[in-house]
Structure formats: structure tokens, C-alpha cells
Amino acid sequence: MSSETQFDYDFLVIGAGSGGVRASRMASGLGAKVAVIEDSALGGTCVNVGCVPKKLFVYGSHFSEEFEAAEGFGWSVGNTEFHWPTLRDRKTSEIERLNGIYGNILGGAGVELINGRGVISGPNSVMVGQQQYTAKYILVAVGGWPFVPEFPGSEHVISSNEVFYLEEFPKRALVVGGGYIAVEFAGIFAGLGAQTHQAYRGPMFLRGFDDDLREFVANEMQQKGVNLHFNSDVTEIVKNADGSLKVSFNNGEQIEVDCVMYATGRRAKTQGLGLENTNVEMRANGSIVVNENYQTAEPSIYALGDVIGGIELTPVALAEGMALAHNLFGEGGRKVDYDNIPTAVFSQPNIATVGLTEAQANEKYANVDVYKSEFKHMKHTLSGLPERTLMKIIVDRDTDKVLGCHMVGSEAGEIIQGLAVAIRAGATKAIFDSTIGIHPTAAEEFVTMREPVS
């Protein structure tokens, strides 16, 4: 297809993150004339200050345990020392390489890249500086931004944006929050050698995950040296003369640290986007309201990914971008299935899950069987490390269908990814039981659990 004469483009995308890049590439491949507007590094949160650099830091933080474990296998490691600038700067080099790859991907797909801040000026127009661009369809894919509440001393904290570029690595760190990012960075700080605290205002972090996993991970993290403070909310931070920070909590407790990182959620990055010039509706938190086809109340404007406040995961944004492109410029009829989406938390040890939790299953099904196994990984029988693994299967007793699989342990994400295929295919517990395991692996435990615990 070719662009209609009254518009500069068929499809104009604001934001070159995961969802925006995927949607633009697919649309261009389907014959649309497409441009992407971006005012910062390509790749969005995931590539620049999210999934990718975080996982690199997780890898780096594991070595302290690996050095300790090596002795049990006959290796004399000797003195070790962590050099923060090396990890930080090599991470940055890798991210810059990926930025270039994203640019090449867009160029190779025939997508024009417009550098600058896009501000929507009407249902079919976007201003970048003094230049106006028009399009039949506009896609808002600007993602989110870390949210830090205001309180006395909040100017002294950092977010997940700044943590990847710290000048010095802290000797003592506090992470505030109870979601993916908070739990992951508590493990990163501790693994890299910081005396680490994590504070969460509720009784247990990782809300929405299976309760057994949440409690298991909390115990494992404390064994690894993370000081967990539940039912604790920061009330004040005071900067001392030596640059350290005195943190006061609502329960009267005080601690002193060198760095406070807030990971208390993210907000849609819609401020200053010009949506007031359209009929687009937003929620109180700034996220954009869309229908099942990602269309806003302004028929020519669409939105997807983190900015719509749904499931904020990179693969979800990719799926939404692909579906939208096909619905606008292809055969149509594409829908993203939000059931049984697998996910992982790169905590230490890792968490991975797919399907219903035990509590969710009991709400939905009359008869639920739970299979659970807790054990020490074979590696740690020689390493001497106390880390343990938890695996759990949720089954509908009436149909034998597997409703959920959950794991805490080494390489949990790699294992659950395969089980997600089985669950989406409708596997039953009998199929799990008849599957021959790969021995010796931790993963084989998922096909050898025979007796339900409840």
C-alpha cells in the first residue's frame, strides 16, 4: 500500500522501544509508509535501563557465590576483588552496540527514524520541534518512567534509571520496593559485595506470585545476606556530613547506608505528550485507555506496551506491536492471548512461573491438587552452599489439566519457558508423568512428582 496523499505517513510511531520498533517493522513489511520518532537511545527501557543491563548485572553478581562454590569442587580461587567500573562500562558498551543494532533493524525494514521529542498536535499530526508530521494512524509507545514518591529527603534517592551509571559502587545499599526490580537489585547489590537492605511497606513482597514462592525466596535471600524489612515505609532520609544517608522508617527503625534506590513502580510517560489536543482518555496514573485493539478514544491514535498499564513485560509489548501492525495493514483478526504468560524474576535464586497460582486456582476450580518438591540442587551437595530449590505444579483434579507451574532455583526461567509451551498446549498431569526426565537435572523433578500435597 502507499501513503494516502493527505498524510506524510500511513503509520507514525512515537517511541522506539520494544513495542514501537516491532509495530513499525511489521507495518513497513506489510507495505505501509512508516516513521518512528525517538528523543533518546533506541531500544526503550528494556535495552537501556531495564531487562538487558539488569541481566548483565545479575550475571556479574553471581560470581561471588561461584568462587565460594568452586572450593567444594577442588578449585583454589585465591583472593578475589570486584571492580565496579569494569562491569558498569562494559555494560554501557554492550548497550551502545545494541542501540546501533536497533537503528540498523529500523533502517533495514524501511522505517524512517525521526530524532526528537514528538508532541501530538491533533488526531493525525505530531510536532517534532518546529516540524509537523502527519499520519493516517499514530501509535503511542513511549513506555513508562520510574515513580518515586515525595517525602523529606526524597531528593537523595536514585531509581533504576540511575543505578546503571553510578560513579562508585556503594558499600551499603537500601532498595525500597517489593516488585521485580526491587527484588532483583537487592540480589545484585548483595552479590556484588554491598551490605544490602530491602524495605517493603507490606507484609510480603512480590504480590501476585504464588505465596509459597514469595516466602521461599524471602528465606533464601536472607540466607544470602539481604536484610529484609517488611511492613516498613521510609519516612525521612537525611544526608550526613560524610555523604552517607540516614534512613528513618515508620516503625521507628533507622539505618545508615551509602545509596538508596527506589523501585516503587513505574508510571506511563505521557506527560507533555500533547494528548490534551485529542480525545485520548487517560487514567489518574497517566496510562492510556485503549480497547481490545489498542485503539484509544481518538480513532486514529493507538497505544500499546507499558503506556497502557497492562502486563508490563517486553515480550507482551512485542506481541501487541505485531498484532496491531497486522490488524491495521495486514489480514486483521490478530489478538494477543494474555492467559498463561510466563515470567521470571532474576532474583537470587531465580523465580519463574506460568499459569495460575494456588490461590487463583482455588478461586476458579472446585478441586485442585498441588504437587510440590523442595530440595538441594545437586551442585550444592559439593559446593556447600545452603541454597535450595522449590518446584510446584497446580492441577485441576477433575480434568487432570495442569493449571500452573512455579519454580525458585537456578535457571528457573530457562526451565519454565519450556513448560509454558506445554501448558498452552493443554498438557495434563498424566502427560507430565509419562514424560521421561533428563537425568540428572533439576528440571526432571517436574515430571517425577507423583503425590499431591493438598
Side-chain angles (χ1 to χ4, degrees):
M1 64 180 293
S2 60
S3 181
E4 296 187 10
T5 55
Q6 68 265 39
F7 299 120
D8 299 321
Y9 301 96
D10 299 307
F11 196 42
L12 189 56
V13 180
I14 306 176
S18 300
V21 168
R22 178 60 61 89
S24 63
R25 286 177 56 208
M26 294 299 105
S28 182
L30 292 166
K33 184 179 181 183
V34 184
V36 172
I37 301 170
E38 178 57 70
D39 65 347
S40 59
L42 303 182
T45 296
C46 180
V47 169
N48 294 287
V49 288
C51 323
V52 175
K54 171 199 68 183
K55 189 71 180 289
L56 293 175
F57 278 12
V58 169
Y59 284 137
S61 65
H62 272 297
F63 282 98
S64 56
E65 275 195 350
E66 291 300 314
F67 295 144
E68 184 180 352
E71 295 182 11
F73 291 87
W75 288 90
S76 297
V77 176
N79 293 328
T80 61
E81 182 180 354
F82 171 61
H83 188 243
W84 164 249
T86 299
L87 175 60
R88 179 197 63 203
D89 296 346
R90 293 203 64 177
K91 172 273 303 174
T92 300
S93 296
E94 172 60 12
I95 298 311
E96 290 172 349
R97 186 185 72 86
L98 294 175
N99 295 150
I101 288 176
Y102 266 72
N104 292 335
I105 287 172
L106 289 173
V111 177
E112 181 182 344
L113 178 61
I114 301 171
N115 293 303
R117 170 124 178 112
V119 178
I120 297 172
S121 53
N124 299 94
S125 60
V126 179
M127 297 296 296
V128 180
Q130 300 301 311
Q131 179 67 48
Q132 178 177 269
Y133 299 92
T134 61
K136 181 177 181 180
Y137 302 116
I138 295 171
L139 171 62
V140 178
V142 295
W145 198 256
F147 169 73
V148 177
E150 290 189 9
F151 59 90
S154 61
E155 68 272 15
H156 301 307
V157 313
I158 64 169
S159 72
S160 57
N161 283 357
E162 297 82 37
V163 71
F164 295 106
Y165 298 95
L166 293 175
E167 282 295 315
E168 296 182 3
F169 186 75
K171 294 180 179 178
R172 303 165 299 174
L174 166 65
V175 181
V176 180
Y180 287 72
I181 298 172
V183 172
E184 290 167 340
F185 268 95
I188 289 169
F189 278 123
L192 294 178
Q195 181 189 92
T196 305
H197 300 263
Q198 182 180 352
Y200 179 55
R201 62 185 180 180
M204 181 58 66
F205 53 29
L206 295 172
R207 185 176 58 187
F209 284 82
D210 188 89
D211 289 337
D212 282 340
L213 270 70
R214 300 166 72 195
E215 294 173 7
F216 191 87
V217 168
N219 291 331
E220 290 293 314
M221 288 177 64
Q222 290 179 98
Q223 282 200 74
K224 292 175 183 289
V226 178
N227 302 287
L228 297 178
H229 305 258
F230 292 123
N231 295 309
S232 297
D233 209 359
V234 174
T235 56
E236 183 182 39
I237 297 176
V238 175
K239 192 168 188 176
N240 298 322
D242 63 357
S244 63
L245 302 172
K246 183 172 72 174
V247 183
S248 300
F249 295 95
N250 59 341
N251 55 13
E253 184 182 9
Q254 290 186 331
I255 61 173
E256 289 200 357
V257 294
D258 305 302
C259 174
V260 177
M261 174 185 162
Y262 259 69
T264 48
R266 296 173 65 84
R267 297 283 176 88
K269 196 179 175 184
T270 49
Q271 189 172 6
L273 195 58
L275 294 174
E276 67 277 6
N277 300 317
T278 71
N279 292 317
V280 173
E281 296 175 359
M282 291 187 290
R283 301 179 184 87
N285 64 3
S287 63
I288 296 174
V289 178
V290 297
N291 63 19
E292 61 180 7
N293 296 314
Y294 314 110
Q295 187 178 41
T296 70
E298 186 70 69
S300 59
I301 298 179
Y302 293 75
L304 52 75
D306 292 2
V307 78
I308 65 173
I311 299 175
E312 297 180 5
L313 297 171
T314 294
V316 173
L318 293 172
E320 291 172 347
M322 186 175 296
L324 177 61
H326 280 277
N327 289 340
L328 290 181
F329 304 107
E331 78 287 358
R334 294 282 186 102
K335 297 287 184 184
V336 177
D337 185 354
Y338 293 97
D339 291 332
N340 296 323
I341 292 176
T343 188
V345 182
F346 295 105
S347 52
Q348 299 186 35
N350 291 178
I351 301 169
T353 181
V354 62
L356 301 182
T357 66
E358 181 177 350
Q360 290 168 340
N362 281 322
E363 288 180 1
K364 192 172 182 179
Y365 295 88
N367 300 299
V368 174
D369 282 335
V370 177
Y371 298 78
K372 186 161 57 173
S373 179
E374 180 185 332
F375 56 93
K376 177 176 278 195
H377 195 289
M378 183 179 180
K379 174 181 178 179
H380 298 310
T381 61
L382 293 191
S383 77
L385 298 179
E387 181 177 300
R388 296 183 67 79
T389 295
L390 172 67
M391 294 180 176
K392 188 171 180 179
I393 303 174
I394 314 297
V395 179
D396 176 17
R397 187 187 311 149
D398 295 333
T399 64
D400 198 44
K401 185 177 179 180
V402 177
L403 304 174
C405 290
H406 312 276
M407 178 178 174
V408 178
S410 178
E411 305 300 338
E414 307 291 344
I415 292 170
I416 292 295
Q417 178 67 81
L419 295 182
V421 177
I423 288 182
R424 288 192 64 81
T428 62
K429 185 62 169 62
I431 290 176
F432 271 57
D433 293 344
S434 66
T435 300
I436 296 175
I438 301 173
H439 185 72
T441 65
E444 68 178 316
E445 194 73 14
F446 272 113
V447 297
T448 59
M449 287 186 259
R450 295 290 185 267
E451 295 298 325
V453 297
S454 62

